[in-house]
Amino acid sequence: MVHKLTAEARQQFFADHPAWKEAEGKDAAETTLTFADFNEAWGFMSRVAVYADKHDHHPEWFNVYNRVEITLTTHDAGGLSERDEKMAAFIDRIRG
Ligand code: HBI
């Protein structure tokens, strides 16, 4: 069973990951990444896709050309969970 982050853990999440902002109207975290071109954006998305498949945790995302917009939340928990924090940390490690 995966649980939502406590209020303190949620606050820590956004403090630890300044590139992420609270989503409007839902318990989720959002970030936007801009790459040199589509090829770089796609390469980034491919790495996140492998992570998502391995961890059974999938982002909601939008891509146009070199821009990737990502929303993280845990459907099974009804909000932000530790799985989102771990995925955000991975994304922040590889975002360039
Ligand atoms: N991805 N973001 C996210 N949230 C989930 O709750 C989730 C997921 N991927 C797979 C998954 N849950 C499975 O546990 C089933 O709920 C499909």
Side-chain angles (χ1 to χ4, degrees):
M1 176 65 192
V2 58
H3 300 287
K4 275 177 40 168
L5 294 177
T6 62
E8 295 77 14
R10 202 174 187 287
Q11 202 170 17
Q12 192 62 52
F13 175 106
F14 289 108
D16 293 346
H17 301 285
W20 297 77
K21 301 293 175 242
E22 296 193 65
E24 295 284 317
K26 59 181 176 179
D27 186 0
E30 294 179 337
T31 196
T32 298
L33 305 97
T34 305
F35 296 91
D37 53 27
F38 174 72
N39 185 275
E40 283 212 2
W42 188 252
F44 163 82
M45 292 176 77
S46 301
R47 292 186 68 185
V48 175
V50 168
Y51 177 101
D53 203 35
K54 176 178 177 183
H55 294 85
D56 192 26
H57 194 67
H58 303 80
E60 297 164 31
W61 50 6
F62 169 83
N63 161 248
V64 58
Y65 183 54
N66 67 334
R67 191 170 86 247
V68 181
E69 297 173 1
I70 302 177
T71 300
L72 294 181
T73 190
T74 301
H75 314 128
D76 294 349
L80 279 177
S81 76
E82 192 182 40
R83 294 179 188 170
D84 301 304
E85 201 286 326
K86 286 183 166 42
M87 187 168 226
F90 172 74
I91 287 168
D92 286 351
R93 276 200 302 278
I94 70 167
R95 68 191 295 157

